Amino acid sequence: MHPEDGARRAGHRGVPHTADLRVEAWAPTREECLAHAVRGVCESFLDLSGAGATGVRRRDVVVRADSDADLLVALLEEVVYWLDTADEVPVDVELTETADGLRAGLHMADASSFPVTGAAPKAVTLHELDFTHGLEGWTCSVTLDV
């Protein structure tokens, strides 16, 4: 689905990008758009279709940033951090706005318990980063190094 497709009000998709990973997400709210961006990144390299509540642990983190785009980067950097340090991936995300950012409840599972479908992200880039609010809601685009 594409953001302009009226059949669905929220979602995400991978976008072809030379030697990198690019994800677009859209939703009526900022927090829902961010959650779809996280899901889109994770689904770009793992098949999460079988993810359930079994073996899931919650990690609560606070993400702070001066702008919405920086908030997107900081949240995705958390995803990359937990993947690199604990081999964990979020299968669900709960986001709550705070005065200077977000409180994120990341429902984590072992990445090794899912089929690998692509290269894992190594870093979030600022190249062509976009996170905007418009008449139809929020949209974002982000590129990650793989």
Side-chain angles (χ1 to χ4, degrees), residues 63-140:
V63 181
R64 293 181 175 89
D66 293 329
S67 72
D68 293 325
D70 290 343
L71 202 56
L72 171 63
V73 170
L75 181 61
L76 293 177
E77 284 176 342
E78 280 290 329
V79 171
V80 171
Y81 170 80
W82 289 111
L83 180 63
D84 285 345
T85 62
D87 195 35
E88 294 179 349
V89 63
V91 295
D92 194 18
V93 181
E94 295 173 21
L95 300 172
T96 307
E97 184 176 7
T98 65
D100 59 349
L102 292 172
R103 179 172 310 282
L106 304 175
H107 299 262
M108 308 296 280
D110 292 330
S112 60
S113 65
F114 300 102
V116 175
T117 60
K122 299 297 180 198
V124 183
T125 74
L126 301 179
H127 180 68
E128 296 181 355
L129 176 67
D130 183 52
F131 194 16
T132 56
H133 181 250
L135 295 175
E136 298 295 318
W138 291 83
T139 60
C140 68

Side-chain angles (χ1 to χ4, degrees), residues 14-15 17 19-23 40-41 44-45 119 121 142-146:
V15 179
H17 197 270
D20 290 320
L21 162 64
R22 185 143 176 92
V23 172
V41 167
S44 74
F45 67 99
V142 63
T143 303
L144 295 94
D145 290 332
V146 293

Side-chain angles (χ1 to χ4, degrees), residues 21-74:
L21 162 64
R22 185 143 176 92
V23 172
E24 294 178 348
W26 57 94
T29 68
R30 180 181 76 155
E31 288 73 22
E32 192 177 1
C33 187
L34 287 164
H36 273 282
V38 169
R39 186 75 175 191
V41 167
C42 295
E43 288 178 352
S44 74
F45 67 99
L46 295 174
D47 178 359
L48 299 179
S49 61
T54 305
V56 174
R57 60 209 150 271
R58 183 180 170 114
R59 295 202 184 269
D60 290 306
V61 297
V62 175
V63 181
R64 293 181 175 89
D66 293 329
S67 72
D68 293 325
D70 290 343
L71 202 56
L72 171 63
V73 170

